Amino acid sequence: MAYYWFKAFHLIGIVVWFAGLFYLVRLFVYHAEASEKKEPDQSILKAQYEIMEKRLYNIITTPGMIVTVAMAVGLVSTEPDILKSGWLHIKLAFVALLLGYHFYCGRIMRQLEKGECQWTGQQFRALNEAPTVLLVIIVLLAIFKNNLPLDLTTWLIVALVIAMAASIQLYAKKRRLAQEKLSSSTD
């Protein structure tokens, strides 16, 4: 019975953690783009984004990560033989990357607060796609375990990355054209 409780709260933790990671970097996009605004809008927006980022990171994202990891430890404690599975080692390597991403986002948040981060909104949009790729890989490993078709999975991940990169570029072009249109209409 403990296994099911650990698994349920592991999944809940994952949902919370990823929701936080996705929204946190989206806030970084807005924070970076606030630099393009005139005062006093710029200062007001940046101050508000800093509050939102801290609360999201400290009250939602980090607790979601802690619950996810703690429940994973609980799951392994109920079935210690799973540690012998190759797929789990690979999954844990990707989870380690995700943990690194989490703490890197915390570092970026502190740099934005100090005005030391020079990333653009476009760069943050690209960074925001990293957890999507990790999520897909981690879920596929958890579902397929040792039966994951590596050739198909590799192509799926490559296609996903290409689609995300293309969508980021198309969105940037759309925004640039809209700004040009706005500038030409105000002249």
Side-chain angles (χ1 to χ4, degrees):
M1 183 61 91
Y3 173 85
Y4 294 110
W5 286 106
F6 288 135
K7 189 165 196 157
F9 282 97
H10 180 66
L11 292 171
I12 291 166
I14 290 168
V15 170
V16 171
W17 188 17
F18 272 92
L21 287 175
F22 289 138
Y23 189 49
L24 182 64
V25 182
R26 176 55 51 183
L27 288 174
F28 294 168
V29 170
Y30 301 145
H31 195 142
E33 290 177 351
S35 297
E36 300 167 8
K37 305 286 185 192
K38 294 179 182 174
E39 289 297 346
D41 293 349
Q42 183 181 124
S43 297
I44 293 167
L45 287 169
K46 285 185 174 187
Q48 185 61 43
Y49 291 136
E50 287 168 17
I51 292 168
M52 294 169 70
E53 290 159 3
K54 280 183 193 175
R55 287 180 181 166
L56 178 63
Y57 188 80
N58 294 320
I59 299 172
I60 296 171
T61 311
T62 298
M65 176 200 64
I66 291 168
V67 168
T68 300
V69 172
M71 295 302 108
V73 170
L75 281 167
V76 169
S77 73
T78 64
E79 293 186 359
D81 285 345
I82 198 167
L83 287 172
K84 297 175 185 171
S85 302
W87 70 269
L88 183 63
H89 297 169
I90 297 167
K91 177 186 169 194
L92 291 175
F94 284 106
V95 171
L97 287 173
L98 187 61
L99 287 164
Y101 179 87
H102 175 97
F103 291 111
Y104 184 66
C105 285
R107 181 174 177 236
I108 290 172
M109 183 179 67
R110 291 184 294 279
Q111 288 175 338
L112 282 166
E113 183 179 22
K114 294 176 186 174
E116 297 172 352
C117 185
Q118 301 303 314
W119 284 46
T120 65
Q122 181 82 351
Q123 290 169 316
F124 281 127
R125 282 184 180 84
L127 180 69
N128 201 29
E129 302 307 328
T132 303
V133 174
L134 291 171
L135 177 63
V136 169
I137 293 168
I138 291 167
V139 168
L140 289 175
L141 282 162
I143 298 298
F144 284 96
K145 299 183 179 10
N146 288 324
N147 296 316
L148 184 64
L150 292 180
D151 52 346
L152 178 62
T153 304
T154 302
W155 285 111
L156 174 73
I157 299 302
V158 168
L160 179 65
V161 169
I162 291 170
M164 289 186 297
S167 67
I168 291 168
Q169 293 301 318
L170 288 171
Y171 182 71
K173 183 177 181 179
K174 178 183 172 189
R175 288 189 66 203
R176 190 172 46 254
L177 291 173
Q179 280 186 330
E180 289 172 5
K181 184 177 178 181
L182 182 64
S183 293
S184 66
S185 67
T186 57
D187 289 343

